Amino acid sequence: MFQSFLSQIIELATPLNLGVLVGSTFIGIVFGVLPGLTATLAVALLSTLTFGLNVELALMAIIAVYVGAIYAPSHSSILLGIPGSAAGAATAIDGYPLAKKGLGGQAIATSTIASVIGTIFGLLALVAVSPLLVSLALNVTSVEFFLIALFGVLICGSLTSPDLPIKGWIAGVIGLLIAAIGIEPILGYQRFTFGNPALAGGIEIVPVILGGFALPQIFRVLRNEHLKESVVTRIGNLMPNWRALWQAKFGVLRSGFLGVGIGAIPGVGEDIAAWASYDVARKFDRDPDSFGTGNINGVINPETANNAAIGGSIIPVLTLGVPGSPAAAVLLGALNIHGIRPGPMLPHEFPNFIPQVAAMLFWSSLSILVLGLAMARLSVQVLRLPSSVLMPIVAFLAVVGSYSLGLNMFNIYMMFLFGVGVYLMEELGYPVTPVVIGLILGSMADVSLRRGLLAANGSLEPFYTRPIALILIALIVISLSFQSKFIRKVLSGFAKDKAA
Amino acid sequence: MLPHRARRKMDIVVSFAMICFGIVVLIAASQMPWAPRSASGAVQWYLSPGLYPATLGFFLVVFSSFVLWNAVREVGIGDIGTMFRGWMRNLPTNHPVHRVVIAMLLVGLYIFVGIGLAEFWIVSAVFLFVFIALFWFPEPGMKLAHRVPISLAISVLIPLAVAFVFETYFYVPMP
């Protein structure tokens, strides 16, 4: 795998590929810099632009925009104190005080190096872990695939819900239900189509993603239009703080592992990786009280983790067909559009695919190194662009993107209705990510459940006799139990008793 | 997100609606074929197209019941009407809500009324200009005399450029 990865690095280095890479990284950085435009949205919008391209070029563009958009929120976090998206939120706590001290350029350069290291960490994990996961996944039957889908939706719901975890589960169930619309694949029965032929083929993923991530964001940004007051315009010297980077080498390593691990959990993503890494870095730091006042470790650690999470979130996409983050969910949708079905059979159908994706991550990391530093001063100008001008453009692109997939107006109507629905649900504390993950995994869950039961003549025995199924059921039960106040109270009681 | 207490009050309404929705899903699933037969004539209930939605409908009812129970326990059902009337009374001065409603209406009008009325790029240019004018012109800063030509240029050039790229290079026609 590693040898194939190295040869892919060379094979991908054609002028056209590198041109697309640079252009897409640029778009990703612009999206990441602007508050309100997320990596998921950038990947979703660019996916619609890549329908006409060949798979290699399309994937290069999507990966580059993904990496660029996860890295660039650090620019707005440092210069504005407001992250471009949730992935850069932790960086703002120490990045902005550094910029106010005149060290904005140094903070951006250091965060760029940390992001490059994080991305490379993630791609190395992708190359190393994927073969193991694929060989494990080849022993996975329909029963386990159903449980993986269920686990993915429930854990994503638990971890992304801003209110009660159970609201995240409800959101996931709604996503799974939306996936049930249309002609079901086993008996060809039309479910929930109400005689509408536009629903017979099921709900397209791209309009739902564009509606779910673009429109609510537009409404929220326009509602809270008060962000442009305090952009730091003098960024100073653009040299990384090499000494701090060297001193933080173990922290970087730890953040890389954290990023990959959290990224691989279905639907959780880069923002939680960054927060977890920031929190752990503060706990391990010699001077934890300096966090929040401009400690460079508060920039290095979350930036390493959020970019490492990219590789982590791609691992389950390629090996199991389960997305590790919302942006990875869009990536999975884009792969399906291009006729690639990720899963355990992927390395057999396309032996070079995983090394190729890793090589694309490598080139993207170099691209953010060069463009990220070159665009640091441009970011100051980009951050001055008014949201009230950018948001209608995003709405227009979402309309074009929704239409261009199936060339029908129904997708645009779906996008709008879904966007308004998601905005209202998010106001009530129901997250959107489990809905999207549910929609993507719904078909797999449905077919796997029925095939699993068919193989056992309707018996539930495989659910509790197969070791992998048992492990998955245990994981589901444990993760659900931890949401219970009673269980948490019992556990904290035990911990207190032990401490006493 | 809504403040905690208002959110819990809304949870009562929304989770009740979700329970009703879950029951509708269960009823719809029960009306799907539940007795597909194998070649030997044996009933294979587990292949029914209703199994999956019925399972999800069941989960939806159970989870929503928990949210309802939690909300009722935390805030009670007493003053939902009072809270709603208070929100309605404050609506005329609630500018954030105005901005969201205007944005929703503009996008809705563009999608449901505008597209198809004229050439796509013309409708899109009008949409962009009206949107920018409503939200950007009242903001402090640059003079209006500068904002108008900038907005016009953006509104016309972006739809034209996007339509050109999609139609020429990706062979994707515009709506």
Side-chain angles (χ1 to χ4, degrees), chain A residues 196-204 207 398-415, chain B residues 111 115 172-175:
Chain A
N196 186 343
L199 288 172
I203 302 290
E204 298 276 7
V399 166
V400 174
S402 304
Y403 179 78
S404 59
L405 181 62
L407 300 184
N408 63 45
M409 286 297 293
F410 184 77
N411 280 350
I412 303 181
Y413 301 150
M414 277 300 306
M415 187 273 296
Chain B
I111 289 172
I115 298 176
V172 174
M174 290 291 101

Side-chain angles (χ1 to χ4, degrees), chain B residues 76-149:
Chain B
I77 51 172
D79 54 350
I80 291 178
T82 320
M83 191 171 264
F84 180 70
R85 279 191 292 276
W87 185 82
M88 286 298 284
R89 253 197 314 276
N90 293 332
L91 197 56
T93 54
N94 196 339
H95 296 299
V97 172
H98 296 175
R99 293 172 72 88
V100 171
V101 172
I102 291 170
M104 274 183 194
L105 280 176
L106 282 174
V107 179
L109 280 172
Y110 169 53
I111 289 172
F112 290 102
V113 181
I115 298 176
L117 214 60
E119 278 285 316
F120 178 68
W121 75 267
I122 297 174
V123 176
S124 303
V126 172
F127 162 72
L128 287 176
F129 185 76
V130 172
F131 206 123
I132 294 170
L134 277 173
F135 284 94
W136 191 38
F137 288 3
E139 285 177 18
M142 198 188 285
K143 284 180 186 168
L144 189 64
H146 291 159
R147 290 186 191 206
V148 174

Side-chain angles (χ1 to χ4, degrees), chain A residues 310-337:
Chain A
I310 298 173
S313 67
I314 293 177
I315 294 171
V317 169
L318 298 183
T319 54
L320 299 170
V322 177
S325 71
V330 187
L331 175 70
L332 179 57
L335 287 175
N336 286 336
I337 289 165

Side-chain angles (χ1 to χ4, degrees), chain B residues 9-56:
Chain B
K9 289 285 179 194
M10 280 304 292
D11 276 351
I12 294 173
V13 179
V14 174
S15 54
F16 181 71
M18 290 274 193
I19 292 170
C20 294
F21 176 58
I23 292 169
V24 169
V25 170
L26 279 171
I27 293 169
S30 72
Q31 289 167 350
M32 292 175 190
W34 274 88
R37 288 176 185 277
S38 66
S40 62
V43 174
Q44 295 174 307
W45 60 269
Y46 39 84
L47 284 185
S48 164
L51 177 66
Y52 178 69
T55 312
L56 297 177

Side-chain angles (χ1 to χ4, degrees), chain A residues 10 91 127 131 151 195 201 212 232 294 298 332 346 375 384 480 492:
Chain A
I10 296 159
T91 308
V127 172
F151 174 68
V232 173
L332 179 57
L346 184 72
M375 286 175 69
R384 287 178 172 165
L480 298 195
S492 66

